[in-house]
Structure formats: structure tokens, C-alpha cells
């Protein structure tokens, strides 16, 4: 049985003060809730304070980062390294988010290097994959995602694969209010699991969590989470309000 993971991607929202307020509200709403793992991914500027606060509160909410640079140190102005994240208590790192692929032009080989760098530091990548609307309408959704999995996970060793987290995030559903139907999301998540099984072996992949992301809200979370191959959610907009995010977590627990 896989424990579902619900991760909040705060994107470029929340000042440090606002981040601290959000996480303290969230920690109290989620206190004592079992059967689900929860992570928050604040902007880099708030990781230290959010980490300290979660520790002080004795919260089980895990800390995630939204990005990383795939080198441990060096002359890379403006970038953040895996050891820097690890030292703050970061457990999960979002890699390959479509906003970075589409807006910042990140390619699969760079994403693959980030996956490797995150694993090397003992953290867990949340690898985002997904198709555009044009690709879906042209019947190319499965092929697009298969290509991303093959390329982005090319440097992962067999024995590391069981700890991976993959998030299926159809680009047309992110921040748009349009959600994939539970059946469509299930179809893709099941395809992702089968592809991972072909790459890493059936038994290794049993424990891999495959999340869904794309306009997950309190009112659609339960039907998505009820699908057998949806092991949680990566939540953007709805993770910015403690009550909404807590309702999604409850739906997954
Ligand atoms: C995301 O940014 O990963 C995401 C799924 O955003 P939203 O929930 O706002 O669609």
C-alpha cells in the first residue's frame, strides 16, 4: 500500500511573513491527521523560516523546494545547490515543472541532471511530466510523457527508483481551472506506472507514488484520489489557502 503524498507548490507567491503565517495555520489544521504525507514547497526565501517553524511545532509536514541547480557549488549566480537545500531540512525537490520547461526553456537533459543531483544529496525528486493541449488533441499525450520519463530518469539507478515521486501534470490543466477527468488522469497515471515498471522492474515501482496535478481543489480532490493509480496530488493555487489545502489533504488521507 502506498501512502499518498499531497505537496503544495507555492510558486512565486508569499513573502516570508506570509509564508510563516500560512504554514502555521496549516500545521494546526493538519495536526493528528494520518494516512497521508504532506509537503509544502515555499519559495527559496522562506525555506529557512518555514523549516524552523515546522521543527518548533513538531509538525509532520515535510519541506520541499521548487527547484535546484544540478551542481553542489560554484560560480552559478542566483542558483541554489542540493547541499544548501539539504542543510535546511528539505526532503522533496520539484523538478521539471512545466512552468520551468515552458517559460525558462529547461530541456530534458537539464531535468535529468537535476534528478541525479537531488538523489545524490539523499533527497527525493518530484518529477513533473505532462502534455500540452495540442499534444493531447493530436493523440500524442502518452508519447510525450513516455519520452519525458525515458529522458528525465535516464540517470536513475535501479535501486533508487522505488523512492521516486512522479507528478502527472497536464499543462492545459495547470492554473487554468480545467482538471483532467479522474478517468483521464487514471489512464495516464497507470501508463506512467507501467512505463516505470518497464524501466525499473515491476516490484521496484510498486512503491513509487504517481501524483496528479492540475487545478486540484477541495471539490474535485476526492474523486481524483479515489483512482487506483493516483497516489496524491501536487497542488498549486489551492495550496495558498490553509483551509483549501487542508481539505485536499483530508480527501487524500
Ligand atoms: C502546479 O503548479 O503544479 C499546479 C498543479 O498548479 P494548479 O494547482 O494551480 O493548477
Amino acid at each position: 500500500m502506498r501512502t499518498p503524498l499531497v505537496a503544495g507548490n507555492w510558486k512565486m507567491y508569499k513573502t516570508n511573513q506570509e509564508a510563516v503565517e500560512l504554514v502555521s495555520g496549516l500545521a494546526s489544521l493538519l495536526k493528528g491527521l494520518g494516512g497521508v504525507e504532506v509537503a509544502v514547497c515555499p519559495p527559496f526565501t522562506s525555506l529557512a523560516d518555514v523549516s524552523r517553524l515546522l521543527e518548533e511545532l513538531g509538525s509532520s509536514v515535510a519541506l520541499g523546494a521548487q527547484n535546484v541547480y544540478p551542481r553542489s557549488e560554484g560560480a552559478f549566480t542566483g542558483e541554489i545547490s542540493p547541499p544548501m537545500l539539504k542543510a535546511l531540512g528539505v526532503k522533496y525537490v520539484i523538478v521539471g515543472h512545466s512552468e520551468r520547461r515552458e517559460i525558462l526553456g529547461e530541456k530534458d537533459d537539464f531535468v535529468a541532471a537535476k534528478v541525479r543531483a537531488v538523489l545524490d544529496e539523499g533527497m527525493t525528486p518530484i518529477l513533473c511530466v505532462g502534455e500540452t493541449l495540442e499534444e493531447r488533441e493530436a493523440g500524442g499525450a502518452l508519447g510525450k510523457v513516455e519520452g519525458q520519463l525515458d529522458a528525465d530518469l535516464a540517470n536513475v539507478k535501479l535501486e533508487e527508483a522505488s523512492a521516486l515521486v512522479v507528478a502527472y501534470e497536464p499543462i492545459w490543466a495547470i492554473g487554468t481551472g480545467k482538471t483532467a477527468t479522474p478517468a483521464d488522469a487514471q489512464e495516464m497515471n497507470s501508463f506512467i506506472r507501467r512505463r516505470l515498471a518497464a524501466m525499473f522492474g515491476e516490484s521496484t515501482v510498486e512503491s513509487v507514488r504517481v501524483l496528479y496535478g492540475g487545478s486540484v481543489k477541495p471539490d474535485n480532490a476526492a474523486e481524483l484520489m479515489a483512482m487506483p493509480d493516483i497516489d496524491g496530488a501536487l497542488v498549486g493555487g489551492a495550496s495558498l489557502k490553509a483551509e483549501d489545502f487542508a481539505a485536499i489533504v483530508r480527501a487524500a488521507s
Side-chain angles (χ1 to χ4, degrees), residues 9 11 97 169 173-175 213-216 234-237:
N9 172 17
K11 310 194 188 201
H97 193 281
E169 297 214 307
I174 296 180
S215 297
V216 177
L234 182 55
V235 185

Side-chain angles (χ1 to χ4, degrees), residues 129-133 135-137 139 141-142 145 167-173 178-194 210-214 220 223-230:
V129 294
E131 81 287 357
T132 63
L133 189 56
E135 288 162 341
R136 171 156 285 263
E137 285 173 349
L142 298 181
V145 167
Y168 168 50
E169 297 214 307
I171 296 171
W172 47 271
K178 291 184 193 147
T179 319
T181 64
D184 284 344
Q186 163 59 26
E187 182 194 24
M188 182 62 90
N189 278 29
S190 150
F191 172 78
I192 290 171
R193 192 176 305 287
R194 287 199 308 277
V210 185
L211 315 184
Y212 168 78
N220 61 21
E223 53 177 5
L224 286 161
M225 305 299 161
M227 295 290 122
D229 284 292
I230 300 182

Side-chain angles (χ1 to χ4, degrees), residues 64-224:
Q66 298 176 22
N67 186 31
V68 70
Y69 193 76
R71 298 288 282 273
S72 33
E73 60 180 4
F76 302 104
T77 302
E79 297 298 330
I80 305 288
S81 76
M84 291 171 184
L85 296 179
K86 177 77 178 199
L88 289 178
V90 167
K91 181 171 182 193
Y92 294 102
V93 184
I94 298 173
V95 172
H97 193 281
S98 62
E99 285 154 12
R100 298 204 65 86
R101 294 184 194 258
E102 303 271 304
I103 302 169
L104 295 152
E106 294 191 359
K107 300 281 180 275
D108 282 321
D109 56 348
F110 194 42
V111 175
K114 292 185 185 199
V115 168
R116 183 66 261 150
V118 169
L119 289 170
D120 282 341
E121 205 53 46
M123 300 180 290
T124 300
I126 300 178
L127 172 67
C128 302
V129 294
E131 81 287 357
T132 63
L133 189 56
E134 298 75 62
E135 288 162 341
R136 171 156 285 263
E137 285 173 349
L142 298 181
K144 167 77 178 291
V145 167
E146 181 175 4
Q148 288 179 321
L149 292 172
D150 290 356
D152 300 346
L153 299 176
N155 305 327
V156 176
K157 299 175 195 134
L158 280 186
E159 64 273 19
E160 295 168 327
S162 59
L164 292 172
V165 178
V166 176
Y168 168 50
E169 297 214 307
I171 296 171
W172 47 271
I174 296 180
T176 58
K178 291 184 193 147
T179 319
T181 64
D184 284 344
Q186 163 59 26
E187 182 194 24
M188 182 62 90
N189 278 29
S190 150
F191 172 78
I192 290 171
R193 192 176 305 287
R194 287 199 308 277
R195 185 68 208 150
L196 294 174
M199 295 167 78
F200 300 108
E202 199 80 48
S203 59
T204 313
V205 160
E206 232 351 86
S207 56
V208 171
R209 282 161 310 171
V210 185
L211 315 184
Y212 168 78
S215 297
V216 177
K217 307 270 182 258
D219 60 1
N220 61 21
E223 53 177 5
L224 286 161

